[in-house]
Amino acid sequence: MSDHRARGSGTSLTAPQQLDRVLAGYAVLVIILLLIWPFKDVSLGGDHYVFLARRLLEGSLNVDNLPPEFSDYVSWQGHKYLALGPVPALLLVPFIPLMNAGMPMVWVGYAFTAINVLVFYRVLALAGVRGQRRSWTTLLYFAGTVYLSITLVGISTYFAHVVVTLFLLLAVWEFLGKRRLLLVGLYVGMAAGARLTAAFTLSFFLLLLWSSFHPSGAGKPDVRTGSVERRSLVFANRAALLLCGLAVPMLFLAVYNYSRFGSPTETGFGMTDLYHPALEKARSVGMFSLAHVPKNILMMLLQGPQAVGGEYSPVLRFPYIEPSPWGMGLFFTSPALLYIFRARVAGHVVQACWLAILTTMVPILTYYGIGYVQFGYRYALDFMPFLVLLAGLGFPDPMTTRARVAVGASVLINVWGAAWLAAWL
């Protein structure tokens, strides 16, 4: 009888249903934050790519039009150049008339983020993350990681991460779907044209491509059961297609560097005018050095919030703790990412995700910079598609209350961090 009354009332919600509504409210909170903030402050500064896009339309590669208060540029032979990759500026070119009319660059980032959400949602299905896990994993990525803060603020160094996310997700979608390898390589190369570290995610695609020729892999039966020599030859041919696609934007980048600095490998990062003495001292040790690894690991995994007023303040001010502008550990800002350790390691996609994360960490952890100013550890966005995909594969199916709460906590933390970062800048 009690069961009959519960079904007949139509008003009783189970605990999971109630939590679903709460998390839907979190998603609405994020959207409201994103929509309101640009109207509050659209003069965040740091729109370097807008100035480069304007100069590209004029047929020039320099940014001599940068305002005097802008930093993060290279002084070379009487001109100013950006060390940042040119792909985000190229994507901004069609929007220049709107931005000349007053539209802030952050709205372009929102448009690309909308595409990123749709593509990642499709990627999850192709990777086997479906049902409740699919929605919650999407919410985690775009509202429960540092992606939220860089989207809200939208300055050029942050916009580059939005662009990297776009092309990496397109590459994963294409590989897990139609698998047109030239296109996959092109997408990875375009991501690298925004941030060079993205090129190291190529390992994800090479490992999955190799596993498709393994007897237990996902390749066609005639390929998986052929001789070792035949499988190796077919793999080499298809890997060559992947690398050819990658080579196109890499060649463009080499020509871009040569046209500015007289060397195809000179990006300008080693000559950039820095804005903080600590960064200058760190770069003097070496732009890439093993000496930078301990600090980067600390910031990526162990750094927590700092005391308001500083550790030497005799009395802490409310709210007593705040984010460190130098960064915070991944699991402090996104506790739901702990579910990456529950993903079944035997799966080829899981193995490929871990490999992509580890290979991309090599240039990041040895680099002198750590992303200042930021909320969380924004350089992790270069491998975030694979990190969140792992979390989605590690989430229980169906989602438990604990998993939902972990995602919810991640969303709230990153809403706090995004608002803090926007106010800071």
Side-chain angles (χ1 to χ4, degrees):
M1 182 179 297
S2 60
D3 291 342
H4 174 74
R5 283 199 302 267
R7 288 193 301 268
S9 65
T11 58
S12 178
L13 293 176
T14 64
Q17 289 173 325
Q18 291 172 345
L19 285 172
D20 284 341
R21 290 194 173 188
V22 170
L23 266 295
Y26 290 162
V28 171
L29 173 65
V30 168
I31 292 172
I32 291 174
L33 176 67
L34 289 172
L35 293 178
I36 288 179
W37 188 263
F39 289 106
K40 181 182 183 301
D41 184 5
V42 297
S43 58
L44 296 174
D47 299 340
H48 298 69
Y49 284 129
V50 176
F51 293 95
L52 178 57
R54 288 172 179 152
R55 294 294 283 158
L56 291 176
L57 287 172
E58 297 169 0
S60 178
L61 301 180
N62 66 56
V63 284
D64 292 342
N65 54 341
L66 275 183
E69 65 271 16
F70 276 43
S71 57
D72 270 347
Y73 62 84
V74 179
S75 298
W76 177 256
Q77 296 185 346
H79 295 285
K80 296 178 181 178
Y81 297 97
L82 295 185
L84 305 170
V87 168
L90 291 172
L91 294 180
L92 286 177
V93 166
F95 299 96
I96 288 299
L98 293 174
M99 286 186 280
N100 288 341
M103 184 186 78
M105 186 180 70
V106 69
W107 290 111
V108 183
Y110 285 8
F112 287 137
T113 292
I115 298 173
N116 289 343
V117 171
L118 294 175
V119 175
F120 184 63
Y121 197 69
R122 292 175 179 267
V123 165
L124 289 174
L126 292 173
V129 181
R130 299 184 177 89
Q132 293 179 338
R133 294 192 302 167
R134 191 180 180 193
S135 299
W136 287 82
T137 306
T138 304
L139 180 64
L140 170 63
Y141 197 145
F142 299 101
T145 71
V146 294
Y147 186 95
L148 177 61
S149 59
I150 62 100
T151 304
L152 177 69
V153 174
I155 61 177
S156 284
T157 50
Y158 298 170
F159 178 65
H161 289 293
V162 175
V163 173
V164 167
T165 302
L166 170 66
F167 285 111
L168 287 183
L169 289 179
L170 286 173
V172 176
W173 184 26
E174 180 63 36
F175 190 91
L176 297 181
K178 296 180 181 179
R179 195 169 288 196
R180 292 168 291 190
L181 296 175
L182 272 172
L183 194 54
V184 172
L186 180 65
Y187 286 147
V188 175
M190 292 294 284
R195 286 183 54 81
L196 272 173
T197 45
F200 287 78
T201 65
L202 187 67
S203 59
F204 172 87
F205 307 98
L206 289 174
L207 180 58
L208 277 185
L209 185 62
W210 173 257
S211 69
S212 67
F213 296 99
H214 190 275
S216 62
K220 295 181 180 180
D222 61 320
V223 174
R224 285 186 281 120
T225 58
S227 66
V228 174
E229 292 79 7
R230 180 174 181 271
R231 294 202 306 269
S232 299
L233 179 61
V234 176
F235 167 76
N237 289 337
R238 296 187 183 178
L241 285 175
L242 185 64
L243 294 175
C244 284
L246 174 69
V248 174
M250 290 294 94
L251 179 61
F252 167 81
L253 190 60
V255 172
Y256 176 69
N257 290 334
Y258 183 82
S259 300
R260 298 181 302 158
F261 304 122
S263 170
T265 60
E266 179 57 70
T267 62
F269 275 107
M271 303 182 291
T272 303
D273 295 333
L274 299 175
Y275 51 86
H276 199 288
L279 294 175
E280 293 178 355
K281 292 179 181 178
R283 191 172 65 182
S284 68
V285 176
M287 192 162 69
F288 292 95
S289 170
L290 291 177
H292 300 309
V293 173
K295 186 173 183 179
N296 283 323
I297 290 179
L298 172 70
M299 291 299 176
M300 184 175 67
L301 298 177
L302 303 176
Q303 177 66 47
Q306 65 183 13
V308 175
E311 59 184 357
Y312 295 106
S313 177
V315 177
L316 295 183
R317 301 191 306 270
F318 182 83
Y320 310 120
I321 61 170
E322 63 182 357
S324 167
W326 291 98
M328 288 173 58
L330 285 169
F331 304 117
F332 283 97
T333 55
S334 303
L337 287 178
L338 287 168
Y339 279 88
I340 63 175
F341 300 110
R342 293 187 75 255
R344 191 172 62 88
V345 180
H348 291 305
V349 172
V350 172
Q351 294 170 359
C353 283
W354 277 114
L355 182 61
I357 292 167
L358 293 174
T359 53
T360 310
M361 278 185 182
V362 172
I364 291 175
L365 293 181
T366 56
Y367 187 56
Y368 78 92
I370 56 175
Y372 182 87
V373 173
Q374 62 185 333
F375 172 72
Y377 192 77
R378 69 177 175 88
Y379 286 173
L381 290 169
D382 293 343
F383 54 80
M384 192 63 74
F386 311 100
L387 200 63
V388 181
L389 181 54
L390 276 179
L393 291 167
F395 281 144
D397 187 19
M399 290 284 288
T400 61
T401 298
R402 179 179 297 177
R404 289 183 175 92
V405 169
V407 176
S410 301
V411 171
L412 289 178
I413 291 170
N414 281 275
V415 167
W416 167 60
W420 169 86
L421 183 62
W424 174 285
L425 295 173

